[in-house]
Amino acid sequence: AGEVSASLPPTLSNLRYGAPAKKILEATKALDELPQVQAGSFYLRVLRVPGALTEGFWLPSATGTDGVIVPFGRSFDAKRPDGRPIGIDGFLGTLRPVGERRPSNR
């Protein structure tokens, strides 16, 4: 599974193989089954927050609404199962405690 940047010229920015690539492929296919996706138009983006150990899909709506985050793979939120969508506000709410635990540089 490869990721290509939207730059000109496009460049390969990430490459995975084996089990991680299979997990991404399965997660991508599962997106089509989500009611939020079936009911509207979304753009597909990959979201990674390395400091919070999370990655997923960000589906901003083509109509200008907030869209949803669909976590897959690594996640700091062990209670959230992969593939279950969460709203932007809910996702940011789960990130807040991660930021508070980070030591300050004072």
Side-chain angles (χ1 to χ4, degrees):
E3 293 176 25
V4 179
S5 71
S7 62
L8 290 175
T11 57
L12 183 65
S13 58
N14 193 357
L15 185 63
R16 296 182 191 193
Y17 60 93
K22 183 178 179 184
K23 185 167 192 133
I24 291 172
L25 179 62
E26 291 169 351
T28 303
K29 288 180 179 179
L31 290 175
D32 291 335
E33 304 300 320
L34 294 174
Q36 293 91 333
V37 172
Q38 292 178 354
S41 298
F42 290 87
Y43 299 106
L44 177 61
R45 304 282 188 259
V46 175
L47 173 70
R48 286 193 186 91
V49 184
L53 298 176
T54 192
E55 63 184 337
F57 297 114
W58 172 34
L59 302 170
S61 173
T63 62
T65 59
D66 286 341
V68 296
I69 304 290
V70 183
F72 70 85
R74 300 178 300 161
S75 179
F76 61 90
D77 187 1
K79 297 177 282 186
R80 175 161 292 287
D82 285 352
R84 185 171 157 213
I86 183 171
I88 300 295
D89 290 338
F91 178 75
L92 293 175
T94 63
L95 282 179
R96 192 166 291 113
V98 175
E100 290 170 356
R101 286 194 305 257
R102 187 175 178 163
S104 64
N105 291 331
R106 291 187 221 172

